[in-house]
Amino acid sequence: MNAPPRNNPVSIWRKQVIRRNAVTRAGTAIVFLTLALFVGAEARAITPPRADFNGDGKPDWVLTNPSTRQTAIWFMNDATLLSGAVGPTLPPNWLLLDAAQFDSPTTSADFFLVNTSTLQTAVWYMNGASFLHGALGPTLPAGWGPGVVQDFNGDGHPDLGLGQHHSDKTAVWYLNGTTLIGGAYGPNQPAGWKGVGAADFNGDGHPDLLWWNPTTRQTAIWYLNGVQFLSGVLGPTLPAGWAPVLVDDFNRDGKPDLVLWNQSTRQTAIWHLNNNVFVSGVLGPTLPAGWILVGPR
């Protein structure tokens, strides 16, 4: 994929003619405006994590055992495992797709599920690792599969990304809890690339898409405004044997990071990013045999 060049997020200031009797005041204003722009470009609001189950403001990891259908939550501090708790067991034919806060009566993140046979969706409202109650969501149309869960229209409610099987079409279903309130087509998926997650990588307040090419191990970011593609840029290439699983701000610096998993060794790691640039990496806990991290597939 030839990624379009990245746009500069900071506007270019053009020089203007200033009358002599306003030079002093204008010069002072320019100094303060430039300082404000510099601070705004460097500082970034730290958004709440999507999968915070214990209310400590830090993203946690959700695991599932495909054989037993058991779920579990690992309470994390960046790449450090603090503690774990067993969660509810999934019923047959239901897949735990992702976690987000779906207007739960608690501050805990919730489970988003899909039935692989009927294409029915559902939300399990959680209190930490404890199941409170569930609600059915919309049924996916035939030929479409669920993708990332993220607030694409900025209304404070998680939405659902969709992908059409055997084509490159994508779409977003706008949700209010489990109620479908609208939909829109998104940009076509590039051939050979898989969607990993959605987060605001360039700090413009809109979620962007992270892609991964399993053949070349290259990553890329598509900058979006809602469902509209703005531009794209290549990211770091993953080492052999590793695959991306989760996207969130794990070290709480206001910039999304990437969780990696090595299927052979079951080792995890976090790559801390600054937009599309690799900053540093740290090893995380090793997953127990039979368990996988929950994330878009």
Side-chain angles (χ1 to χ4, degrees):
M1 183 187 72
N2 294 323
R6 177 177 50 182
N7 290 340
N8 190 340
V10 180
S11 300
I12 300 173
W13 284 88
R14 296 180 180 179
K15 295 183 179 179
Q16 299 181 359
V17 178
I18 304 174
R19 290 185 298 178
R20 291 183 181 179
N21 60 357
V23 169
T24 301
R25 286 183 298 170
T28 302
I30 289 172
V31 169
F32 282 106
L33 284 171
T34 303
L35 178 60
L37 284 173
F38 176 79
V39 173
E42 292 298 322
R44 186 177 297 183
I46 298 179
T47 58
R50 291 189 313 116
D52 179 12
F53 285 88
N54 59 352
D56 65 353
K58 300 170 184 176
D60 303 311
W61 295 3
V62 182
L63 295 81
T64 184
N65 187 316
S67 298
T68 66
R69 312 196 61 78
Q70 182 73 59
T71 65
I73 296 174
W74 277 4
F75 302 109
M76 304 292 296
N77 181 5
D78 197 15
T80 301
L81 173 61
L82 302 178
S83 62
V86 174
T89 300
L90 301 176
N93 298 324
W94 286 86
L95 172 70
L96 179 52
L97 177 71
D98 210 342
Q101 226 280 350
F102 283 89
D103 301 325
S104 173
T106 72
T107 58
S108 172
D110 308 305
F111 286 177
F112 186 84
L113 300 87
V114 63
N115 188 305
T116 55
S117 297
T118 66
L119 299 182
Q120 178 80 57
T121 64
V123 169
W124 277 8
Y125 295 101
M126 306 290 294
N127 184 9
S130 299
F131 171 76
L132 297 179
H133 63 91
L136 293 178
T139 299
L140 304 180
W144 288 78
V148 298
V149 174
Q150 183 59 270
D151 179 12
F152 287 97
N153 60 350
D155 66 352
H157 304 286
D159 307 307
L160 177 62
L162 307 173
Q164 188 176 44
H165 303 310
H166 311 301
S167 84
D168 58 1
K169 290 184 179 179
T170 68
V172 171
W173 273 5
Y174 301 117
L175 302 176
N176 183 353
T178 57
T179 302
L180 175 64
I181 59 175
Y185 285 109
N188 291 343
Q189 179 172 339
W193 293 76
K194 296 178 62 176
V196 179
D200 182 11
F201 285 92
N202 60 351
D204 66 351
H206 303 287
D208 310 304
L209 289 178
L210 179 71
W211 299 94
W212 178 57
N213 189 314
T215 302
T216 65
R217 303 193 303 277
Q218 179 78 58
T219 62
I221 296 172
W222 277 9
Y223 302 118
L224 303 179
N225 181 0
V227 296
Q228 179 185 3
F229 171 77
L230 301 179
S231 63
V233 62
L234 294 177
T237 300
L238 272 59
W242 293 80
V245 185
L246 302 173
V247 175
D248 209 330
D249 178 13
F250 294 99
N251 62 350
R252 310 309 291 151
D253 66 349
K255 301 168 185 177
D257 308 306
L258 183 59
V259 170
L260 312 178
W261 180 52
N262 188 310
Q263 187 174 2
S264 298
T265 65
R266 310 197 61 79
Q267 179 75 59
T268 65
I270 293 181
W271 274 10
H272 298 128
L273 304 177
N274 182 0
N275 200 343
N276 65 314
V277 178
F278 170 79
V279 176
S280 63
V282 59
L283 292 177
T286 300
L287 298 185
W291 291 79
I292 59 173
L293 284 172
V294 170
R297 291 162 172 80

